[in-house]
Amino acid sequence: MCAGKRWDVMLYRNGEGEVQAVMPFLIGKKLWMRYILQPQMTQFGGVWYLKTDFKTENERLSFEKKVCSQFADRLKGLKLSYLCVNFAPAFTNWLPFYWKGYRQTTRYTYQIQGIDNLDVVFANMDKKRRQTKILALQDKYRVFFDLSPERFYDFHARYWQSRGGEELLSRSLVVRVCSEAVSRQQGLLAGMEDLQGNLVAAYFVAYDSCTAYALMSAYDRQQNIHGMTALLVWNIIKWLSDKVKVFDFEGSMDENVEYSFRYYGTKQVPYFQITKSSSLGFNTLLKLKKMIG
């Protein structure tokens, strides 16, 4: 995830030297310009608070102002040309960054919360998705949870090729991250085969003690069977139901993708994308990259 770049972290300590907040970041360099971007295969970054025991709202806001102001000043010392970071949904007060010249765009992810109660989760799904896209297909496919990272990558790459695009991540990166996550019991590689043993859908999910994140997914577009991914997602949720409370689809601002996530009975959850640019040259490079694709 740090290929061609290096990671670092800023710490905020109290008077006793105890760490109360952190801001990890990935820093790279293009020509003479230094930048911070969201790492690959990483849902959220930004500021994370370790201190949470506040007696009043004023005390909390004062603490957050001190932390964010200090981090913003230290970021200034890095002489960045550009910064773009997705802050986690739990981060709700970006005002200190605004005062330091940063900008914010509200983005959305979609979460199924309380997945330890499977009956409620299933009942909250769209009725058509439950009956015609899960129940009707469950005897026609086999779901398994020991998909190899290599097979997953190859399948994911073919999926992008079928859409007329290319795999955006390298094989070595995907295989390494998936292998490490699974070995640490913080990742799940789930696959689904038809009765002939052909892989038709796959997911890579990373999770911690609270939340599971659907980081990568793919399906066989030639199958053209609606509901394959719904069946796989449902089985993944069941597998995770005794490990985490929240399943995060890792959101999308795409209208068609939003429609798909919403029908799982998800909750729309906002998060902040915070940016700052001080280089016309870097802005030009970003525009060229978007034009080229």
Side-chain angles (χ1 to χ4, degrees):
M1 290 183 287
C2 298
K5 309 174 185 68
R6 66 177 178 86
W7 79 275
D8 205 338
V9 60
M10 294 185 293
L11 306 177
Y12 178 89
R13 302 177 185 272
N14 63 12
E16 289 71 43
E18 300 170 329
V19 176
Q20 296 187 314
V22 300
M23 185 176 180
F25 57 90
L26 190 68
I27 188 166
K29 189 175 183 180
K30 191 74 171 179
L31 301 176
W32 66 91
M33 297 172 288
R34 296 158 62 105
Y35 61 89
I36 289 177
L37 296 177
Q38 193 68 24
Q40 296 171 314
M41 300 179 72
T42 303
Q43 169 73 325
F44 300 117
V47 177
W48 300 85
Y49 298 116
L50 281 68
K51 175 180 171 61
T52 58
D53 54 337
F54 302 103
K55 297 178 181 179
T56 66
E57 183 71 358
N58 177 57
E59 182 180 334
R60 179 184 70 85
L61 293 174
S62 298
F63 170 77
E64 292 177 357
K65 180 181 178 182
K66 291 178 183 178
V67 171
C68 293
S69 296
Q70 183 181 115
F71 285 168
D73 289 340
R74 292 167 68 179
L75 287 171
K76 183 178 180 181
L78 295 177
K79 301 185 184 306
L80 299 172
S81 296
Y82 186 75
L83 176 144
C84 180
V85 177
N86 295 333
F87 283 55
F91 182 89
T92 59
N93 176 22
W94 79 283
L95 192 56
F97 283 98
Y98 171 79
W99 290 327
K100 298 289 185 176
Y102 288 78
R103 295 185 177 182
Q104 182 270 125
T105 299
T106 300
R107 300 178 66 88
Y108 296 95
T109 188
Y110 291 81
Q111 297 179 347
I112 300 177
Q113 301 181 349
I115 69 170
D116 54 327
N117 191 331
L118 292 172
D119 291 337
V120 172
V121 171
F122 194 71
N124 285 340
M125 291 184 185
D126 174 69
K127 184 178 180 180
K128 183 178 180 181
R129 176 154 292 183
R130 295 197 311 264
Q131 295 181 352
T132 65
K133 296 188 176 184
I134 295 179
L135 298 178
L137 296 177
Q138 59 185 352
D139 295 328
K140 300 180 180 180
Y141 296 94
R142 182 183 77 90
V143 175
F144 58 101
F145 301 100
D146 57 353
L147 180 65
S148 73
E150 293 81 7
R151 190 183 182 194
F152 172 79
Y153 176 85
D154 293 341
F155 181 74
H156 196 269
R158 290 196 300 272
Y159 165 71
W160 277 106
Q161 290 171 3
S162 71
R163 296 181 57 180
E166 295 183 4
E167 175 63 74
L168 301 177
L169 304 173
S170 70
R171 193 175 199 269
S172 60
L173 173 66
V174 173
V175 169
R176 185 173 73 251
V177 171
C178 291
S179 299
E180 190 67 25
V182 172
S183 69
R184 296 187 183 189
Q185 297 185 341
Q186 292 181 303
L188 167 67
L189 278 169
M192 189 164 70
E193 296 176 335
D194 61 19
L195 299 182
Q196 288 72 47
N198 301 306
L199 187 62
V200 297
Y203 257 85
F204 170 54
V205 179
Y207 59 92
D208 53 28
S209 60
C210 301
T211 304
Y213 301 96
L215 296 185
M216 299 178 69
S217 63
Y219 67 94
D220 186 348
R221 300 177 75 239
Q222 293 183 345
Q223 289 271 343
N224 196 30
I225 297 176
H226 297 295
M228 289 191 309
T229 54
L231 177 60
L232 180 55
V233 168
W234 171 238
N235 278 274
I236 291 172
I237 290 172
K238 289 195 293 183
W239 191 91
L240 290 165
S241 62
D242 63 345
K243 300 173 179 63
V244 299
K245 294 294 181 66
V246 178
F247 183 85
D248 192 322
F249 281 96
E250 206 201 8
S252 175
M253 302 298 283
D254 182 276
E255 185 175 1
N256 293 326
V257 176
E258 186 273 345
Y259 172 86
S260 174
F261 291 164
R262 176 159 40 90
Y263 271 61
Y264 283 102
T266 54
K267 179 178 180 181
Q268 186 189 69
V269 178
Y271 65 92
F272 297 148
Q273 183 179 83
I274 294 180
T275 61
K276 189 175 185 180
S277 177
S278 59
S279 170
L280 180 60
F282 201 92
N283 287 339
T284 302
L285 286 176
L286 288 175
K287 290 179 181 178
L288 287 173
K289 183 177 180 181
K290 290 180 180 179
M291 291 173 61
I292 295 172

